[in-house]
Amino acid sequence: MIREIAIKASAPQSGFQQVLDAWEQPDTKIVVMRAAEPVAAVREFYEAHFGSIGTPCPLGEDVTIGGREAQRSGQIWMEVRYDPRFPDAYRHSANAQPLHTDGSYIPDFPNATLMACVANSGTGGETTFIDAEDLVAVLRQEDPGLLDTLSSRTLPHARSGDHADEKVIDLRADGVWLNWNYFCVDPAIDSAGRELAEKFHRFLQCSPGVKAHTHGVKLTPGDAVTWKDRRVLHGRNSFVATQDSERFLWKCAIDVGQFAN
């Protein structure tokens, strides 16, 4: 599921080609780019090499703009940065973040998310992942009825004026596709849908199988990670931080392997 590739800042093209090659493999869901050399300006470095990675999309959000329904900035990058001024915003808190997909409420969300690390020195803070195929296997074993419901009805998600109504688990011919974020489930959902969302949320938090199949990736400065958003759920372990920006990553939505003409 996870492939790690070394990226040399002084000669990165070979590494980025390996990223694209790995991306084409169906069993590769997550690609970790490990900085083999120091990267002086992390965001600028990866932005300068979008032409070797894929096409970014301006879906950035900024908590300082407004409430959850009005945070779209129109920028490519957004901060995932510890800032104690915003304890209730996952992007800026030290709390564990539940498993989810990023594009749950955006129908045309790109095929991936990319995060690049500026700082991550505190204890914890790993980005966590579970493969869609593993999740389905766990559900089949622990709660097949829940799997049947999640894969047979849609569950609407909404935020910032966007709305998507898809199955949480879509069992397609080319594999399992996911669409889920507990905190973005449409508030106007019917009672059966709300009950389903609460049940799946509890399952992800309490399932022994989910815990056993969840993998953590700890980024260090200069590293980056990109993942197939609909083919995994991702979250974050809690971490210990005493200073502003002690954990700091730049994040963007991107179509990996797809390039504008």
Side-chain angles (χ1 to χ4, degrees):
M1 178 178 73
I2 302 175
R3 175 81 182 275
E4 294 206 1
I5 294 168
I7 302 293
K8 294 182 65 175
S10 60
Q13 293 305 322
S14 174
F16 287 132
Q17 184 58 54
Q18 291 179 58
V19 170
L20 295 182
D21 292 343
W23 191 260
E24 294 300 317
Q25 301 304 311
D27 291 339
T28 300
K29 309 294 179 63
I30 302 143
V31 180
V32 181
M33 291 162 267
R34 295 293 186 189
E37 299 172 345
V39 178
V42 172
R43 183 186 68 177
E44 290 79 1
F45 172 75
Y46 285 97
E47 183 170 323
H49 294 287
F50 278 151
S52 300
I53 304 170
T55 302
C57 297
L59 295 174
E61 296 179 348
D62 185 342
V63 71
T64 66
I65 293 176
R68 283 175 56 83
E69 296 303 315
Q71 293 182 4
R72 187 70 57 75
S73 68
Q75 302 298 309
I76 289 173
W77 294 99
M78 69 182 90
E79 294 182 346
V80 180
R81 180 179 64 84
Y82 177 66
D83 187 335
R85 295 178 300 163
F86 306 106
D88 297 324
Y90 279 117
R91 287 197 302 274
H92 300 294
S93 78
N95 301 326
Q97 185 174 17
L99 294 164
H100 64 286
T101 58
D102 279 338
S104 64
Y105 52 94
I106 303 175
D108 56 350
F109 192 79
N111 65 19
T113 296
L114 184 146
M115 291 200 304
C117 179
V118 177
N120 197 13
S121 60
T123 301
E126 298 86 358
T127 305
T128 56
F129 299 95
I130 184 169
D131 191 311
E133 311 289 341
D134 289 337
L135 175 60
V136 166
V138 170
L139 279 162
R140 283 199 174 110
Q141 181 175 9
E142 296 183 15
D143 197 334
L146 179 57
L147 172 61
D148 288 344
T149 307
L150 290 168
S151 60
S152 62
R153 67 153 288 171
T154 61
L155 197 68
H157 287 68
R159 181 176 172 179
S160 301
D162 292 305
H163 184 274
D165 192 8
E166 301 188 32
K167 295 176 182 177
V168 174
I169 297 177
D170 195 353
L171 304 175
R172 303 183 185 179
D174 61 347
V176 180
W177 291 66
L178 304 173
N179 196 73
W180 167 253
N181 189 327
Y182 173 74
F183 297 101
C184 295
V185 172
D186 191 338
I189 195 172
D190 59 45
S191 59
R194 174 51 62 186
E195 182 179 353
L196 177 61
E198 296 294 339
K199 186 174 183 179
F200 187 49
H201 181 57
R202 290 193 300 271
F203 180 86
L204 291 174
Q205 291 181 308
C206 301
S207 161
V210 167
K211 182 178 180 180
H213 286 88
T214 298
H215 305 273
V217 173
K218 177 83 170 184
L219 298 179
T220 58
D223 294 348
V225 60
T226 188
W227 62 89
K228 298 174 180 176
D229 187 58
R230 299 289 302 276
R231 308 307 296 273
V232 298
L233 294 180
H234 74 280
R236 182 186 69 224
N237 287 337
S238 62
F239 59 95
V240 177
T242 59
Q243 298 179 7
D244 183 79
S245 302
E246 194 167 340
R247 185 180 188 269
F248 185 178
L249 299 93
W250 286 106
K251 177 179 180 180
C252 71
I254 185 170
D255 273 316
V256 172
Q258 298 183 24
F259 302 95
N261 295 328

